[in-house]
Amino acid sequence: MSTAGNPRILMCPPDHFGIEYEINPWMSIQQGSDPERAAGQWRALERTLEDLGVAIDLMTPEKGLPDLVFTANAGLVYRDTFIASRFRFGVRQGETPHFEAWGRARGFEVLTPPEGMNFEGAGDALFCGETLFAGYRFRSDVRSHHWVGERLGVEVLPMELVDPRYYHLDTCFCPLEAGVAVYYPGAFDDYGRAVIRGRIPTLIEVRAEEAQSFSCNAVVVGRTVVLNQGAPALAADLQRLGYATRTLELSEFIKSGGSAKCLTLRVDGEEAAAWKAAGSAASP
C-alpha cells in the first residue's frame, strides 16, 4: 500500500505513556517520567515531521499500554503487507491486537508470526536499499526474521546485538538511503559489524558517548535527519554528507528506552524509505 506523494508516518499520542515496568536497562519505575514534559516533546516531534512534509496517521492511545506510543514496534510495513509484532514480554503483548486492527483498517494484508517466534517490527527490521537488516537476541529472534524474509520475498541479514542497552536494531542502526547508514559498532558482534561494513559502502560510525543519547534512533525524511539532541559530532558528520539535521529534546522517552525513530512507523513502507518517497526532501 505504498502511497504517492509525501511520506506517511504512524504515531500514537503519549496520553497514557509512563514507566510502569522495567524491560530494558533504561527503564526505572522509581525514576519515572514527566507526563507533561513527555507530551510537549512528542508534540514537538509531530510538528517537526509535519513541517518536513510528513502526513501523520494517529493511533488511539490505550490505558494500560504505556508503550503503545512506540509505534516503530507495531510491526513492519512492506508494500501491501503489514507484519504485526509478536512481543517477547507479556506487558507489551496487549499492543498487538490494536496494531493488527489498525493494519486491517488501513487495507493491509495483516500477517502475524507464529507462536513461539518473537518479532518486534521496525524496531528490529530496517531496510537499507532492497535488503532487510535485522537485529536479534534481546527482543526478536533469528527464526522470525527468516520467516519475515520468506513471506515478503526479500533478502534478510540477521545480526546479533550484544549490548542490552541497544536491545533493538533501531537504537544502534539507521539507514539514510541505499548504501548509506549510521551505526554504533559497539552494539554488534564481530560478524554483525562485518555484515554492515561489507554491505553498506558509506557508513557513519557513532561515538559511544553519542550512541547513549539515542542518536542512531533517528527519523529520515528525504535529506533531513530528525534526532535527539546531544550528538553534535554525528550532526556534523551528517552535514558533511549533505544531510540537514533537526535536533529535538526527547529525554522523557529515552528514560523508557526510545527516541524519535521508536515513536514513528513508516505507513508507506519501511522499504519505501525517505530516498524513494517523491517530494519528501526538505531543508532545515
Side-chain angles (χ1 to χ4, degrees), residues 3-18:
T3 56
N6 289 359
R8 184 172 291 276
I9 281 176
L10 176 69
M11 298 181 70
C12 178
D15 297 12
H16 304 297
F17 170 70

Side-chain angles (χ1 to χ4, degrees), residues 65-85:
L65 297 175
D67 284 347
L68 197 70
V69 69
F70 296 122
T71 53
N73 305 144
L76 180 69
V77 174
Y78 182 79
R79 299 180 182 172
D80 295 334
T81 301
F82 174 64
I83 298 182
S85 291

